[in-house]
Amino acid sequence: MKSFVILNLSVIVISGLLLISPTFSTSGTEEQTKSASAQPSAKDNFLKYCAGCHGQKMERFAGNTWEAFKAGGDLTGVIRSGLPQLGMPSFEKAFTQNDMKAISDYILEMKNKKEVPVATKFPAIIRSKHQAFKIDTVAKGLDVPWGIAFLPDGDMLVTERSGQLFRFGGGKLKAIISGVPEVMAQGQGGLMDIILHPKYKQNGWIYISYSKKAPDGKGGNTAIFRAKLKNDQLVEQQELFNAIPNTNSGVHFGCRMVFDDEGYLFFSVGERGNKENAQDLTNHCGKIHRIFDDGRIPTDNPFVKTQGAMPTIYSFGHRNPQGIDIHPVSRRIYNNEHGPRGGDEINLVGKGNNYGWPVITFGINYDGTIITKETAKAGMEQPVFQWTPSIGPSSMKFVTGDRYPGWKGDILSGSLSFKYLERVHLENGKVTEQEKLLENAGRVRHVAISPDGYIYVATESPGIVVKLVPVK
Ligand code: HEC
């Protein structure tokens, strides 16, 4: 047991060192608009079709094993067919063989020039529009940190998508928590969100979402369990939810969780790469769900009496909902979600509502083809706000408390694609101001507010957690 822990610690340190390697940075979107109107170059194509996921500077290829390259000597195979299990789309319809060869050559040329990873050096004091703050790094050496929960003693539990759960305190790794179930760490799946029960001090329940492998080994889907923490071990585990159907797809698992004031647990599940799921009430995918803290299903859920419908469903027509949080004043639930290419959304989540995916959307397919011409339809909700081009939103939190007076009540949302934290100000339910915070951070995977009101942000590449400390 002890040697296991030591082994893991050294692995973390090594990956941490690797991630904090030389840096260069540009502000992303400028290059995208520069492309000439005539024949797009391989670089233009890369920036248009690939950079959203792989990064403007290909930084998301950093640490890649280049299996696709080793297999065929070039990358055209993977560009043509994609890697559906891992979340890489097919570009068969977008490109000719020559285009694909040119993009492949361009990537390999950049790889050989070692034009790759990014590390972050923040200024000593960041002066944003309404708030100055400095950055305190409270956890490092992580790969893809996904969720954060703050324990009453001030320590912080951090999930990592690979399937590990860590306890950090005082800026140091204190323990690796054992008893985490095996996760389907495939594509976007793995160990995901972690939250405490609102009455944690009395009952000790911790809620964790993850991608669970099917018992027969064929695919998997999003699951939620609760457990208690004893001597750095998860004990008394109870599974509360497991989405159907299981699938081999490696994309769109959701899954963030929040408790509302009445103690209901709300959580999101993505449509698992199958658009049709989102409008089909007979499965759990592309939905936001509502259950009791012990997994029982409330009898006043909107589709409890609908023949064949999944009774946990609260709202539907979502694509890949990520963040979910309660508005500090109205106490209503908001979520954010990934559109395809364009059309990322913030929604006000209402009971029984249909958010329209894929019947209405402001986005198009990754390969440039049209999904639907409709952006609005009777019986379907409009987003509060939509991002085109996509920022790749991760989690979202409303700023609560008085630590950051200039941001009070604003939404903070991570951007995976463009690597910053976005602040969105709502006035009477409409967005009136937007600001980019933490530009050139890593891929912003999570934003959390601690019980004492501080903002924490988790990024990948580099895999760190930082605290935003307000300064006058
Ligand atoms: C929707 C996100 C997404 C888009 C868009 C995307 N990819 Fe990928 N790609 C992935 C994922 C996920 C993987 C698998 C994990 C990894 O290797 O990072 C992957 C893997 C790859 C690999 C395999 C690397 C290896 O190890 O051999 C190549 C090459 C690649 N992508 C090229 C491209 C190119 C070129 C484009 C644009 C034409 C593109 N990708 C667009 C998500 C994407």
Side-chain angles (χ1 to χ4, degrees), residues 40-238:
S41 69
K43 183 177 178 182
D44 294 333
N45 279 335
F46 183 87
L47 291 173
K48 183 167 170 197
Y49 293 94
C50 322
C53 294
H54 290 293
Q56 303 273 325
K57 291 281 178 185
M58 303 190 184
E59 55 276 7
R60 289 295 296 157
F61 284 125
N64 202 288
T65 53
W66 297 101
E67 290 305 324
F69 171 60
K70 279 182 231 155
D74 69 28
L75 303 169
T76 52
V78 69
I79 299 171
R80 183 182 310 103
S81 317
L83 298 164
Q85 321 274 80
L86 296 175
M88 160 84 191
S90 148
F91 287 91
E92 194 167 17
K93 292 200 193 113
F95 299 126
T96 62
Q97 175 64 22
N98 285 346
D99 291 336
M100 289 190 261
K101 184 70 173 58
I103 299 171
S104 168
D105 290 347
Y106 173 61
I107 295 172
L108 296 173
E109 185 193 317
M110 297 291 276
K111 174 178 172 285
N112 292 338
K113 281 196 204 153
K114 299 213 168 29
E115 308 247 332
V116 185
V118 175
T120 314
K121 247 203 167 311
F122 295 108
I125 293 184
I126 299 177
R127 298 192 187 280
S128 71
K129 264 187 207 159
H130 305 300
Q131 182 71 54
F133 60 95
K134 63 187 180 70
I135 298 291
D136 194 0
T137 303
V138 294
K140 31 182 183 190
L142 294 155
D143 180 24
V144 179
W146 224 93
I148 299 175
F150 298 92
L151 294 170
D153 64 5
D155 280 359
M156 182 173 81
L157 296 176
V158 180
T159 58
E160 193 179 78
R161 195 168 65 192
S162 64
Q164 279 183 302
L165 177 57
F166 303 105
R167 182 162 62 84
F168 283 90
K172 290 203 171 59
L173 177 60
K174 286 190 171 170
I176 297 172
I177 308 299
S178 60
V180 179
E182 190 194 352
V183 304
M184 178 183 168
Q186 173 185 313
Q188 298 166 0
L191 192 59
M192 298 187 287
D193 207 10
I194 181 163
I195 63 171
L196 303 186
H197 192 285
K199 296 198 174 116
Y200 177 79
K201 279 187 195 157
Q202 285 95 59
N203 61 30
W205 285 119
I206 298 174
Y207 292 71
I208 295 179
S209 61
Y210 72 112
S211 323
K212 184 184 175 182
K213 280 189 184 155
D216 62 4
K218 292 190 184 124
N221 213 329
T222 304
I224 291 174
F225 71 97
R226 66 175 180 177
K228 296 182 182 179
L229 190 62
K230 267 214 177 88
N231 303 323
D232 290 322
Q233 192 180 354
L234 291 179
V235 297
E236 297 181 44
Q237 292 187 26
Q238 299 175 353

Side-chain angles (χ1 to χ4, degrees), residues 311-386:
T312 52
I313 296 173
Y314 190 75
S315 64
F316 66 108
H318 298 280
R319 185 171 177 273
N320 190 17
Q322 294 278 307
I324 184 164
D325 200 19
I326 311 264
H327 189 283
V329 178
S330 75
R331 309 308 296 166
R332 298 178 70 184
I333 293 172
Y334 284 72
N335 90 298
N336 68 2
E337 60 187 81
H338 287 230
R341 205 165 106 198
D344 294 347
E345 298 178 352
I346 295 179
N347 289 304
L348 173 56
V349 179
K351 189 173 184 172
N353 283 355
N354 180 355
Y355 291 85
W357 174 254
V359 182
I360 57 171
T361 174
F362 289 89
I364 56 173
N365 281 314
Y366 291 113
D367 67 4
T369 53
I370 303 296
I371 299 161
T372 166
K373 290 204 172 95
E374 315 291 333
T375 56
K377 200 166 183 171
M380 295 182 182
E381 303 301 314
Q382 283 295 300
V384 173
F385 180 68
Q386 62 98 3

